[in-house]
């Protein structure tokens, strides 16, 4: 983390955090995609197939999209999220963590060093899903927008870091 000129290859140039703006009315779900971190594939690591990352990519995307379609619209209108929506989150969200674990295992088996940022991105996705589960269990409307931002950021970071691993060298 820090200055891109001094960061190790494959390390993020700076932590990207995007906070929802504060207002006196209902919260906003505005999101700004984090800037590229200028990642490169670790030396000596072969390109991975897109299916290697696909399990986690689908899991992260589905959780973020579901949250954005189900919880976010209520709080941005100043309404409470209905109990049945929270209950659905409690029941379904944990199942998506398996996709992240599948990709993590596949990356390890393909000798991607555990120091590469993709593993932190998957940990951030796990943490965002855990936060969504906790908010769902607590029926905590105040967590909807922060969880949404965390899910979207985790997805964007993972898309970047795993995309670098999937890129084939120019010939």
């Amino acid at each position: 983390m820090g200055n891109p000129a001094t960061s190790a290859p494959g390390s993020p140039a700076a932590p990207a955090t995007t906070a929802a703006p504060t207002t006196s009315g209902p919260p906003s779900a505005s999101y700004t995609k984090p800037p590229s971190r200028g990642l490169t594939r670790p030396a000596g690591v072969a390109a991975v197939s897109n299916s290697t990352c696909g399990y986690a990519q689908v899991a992260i995307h589905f959780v973020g999209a579901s949250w954005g379609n189900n919880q976010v619209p209520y709080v941005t209108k100043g309404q409470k999220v209905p109990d049945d929506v929270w209950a659905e989150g409690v029941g379904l969200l944990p199942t998506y963590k398996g996709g992240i674990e599948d990709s993590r295992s596949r990356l390890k088996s393909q000798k991607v060093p555990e120091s590469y940022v993709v593993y932190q991105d998957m940990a951030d996705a796990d943490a965002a899903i855990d936060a969504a589960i906790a908010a769902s269990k607590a029926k905590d409307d105040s967590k909807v927008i922060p969880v949404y931002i965390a899910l979207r950021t985790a997805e964007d970071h993972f898309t970047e870091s795993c995309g670098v691993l999937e890129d084939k060298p120019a010939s």
Side-chain angles (χ1 to χ4, degrees), residues 34-53:
S36 171
R37 297 172 289 172
L39 304 177
T40 58
R41 186 175 335 132
V45 173
V48 301
S49 72
N50 62 358
S51 66
T52 300
C53 296

Side-chain angles (χ1 to χ4, degrees), residues 100-146:
I100 296 168
E101 188 51 44
D102 285 347
S103 286
R104 184 180 287 116
S105 174
R106 288 169 181 262
L107 289 166
K108 286 178 182 178
S109 72
Q110 293 187 32
K111 309 290 189 245
V112 174
E114 291 186 49
S115 59
Y116 183 63
V117 69
V118 73
Y119 293 102
Q120 182 58 54
D121 293 345
M122 286 186 289
D124 292 346
D126 278 332
I129 293 170
D130 287 342
I133 294 166
S136 295
K137 286 179 179 178
K139 300 178 184 178
D140 189 347
D141 294 305
S142 73
K143 301 294 185 197
V144 169
I145 300 303

Side-chain angles (χ1 to χ4, degrees), residues 1-14 37-40:
M1 319 262 164
N3 183 335
T6 59
S7 295
S11 297
R37 297 172 289 172
L39 304 177
T40 58

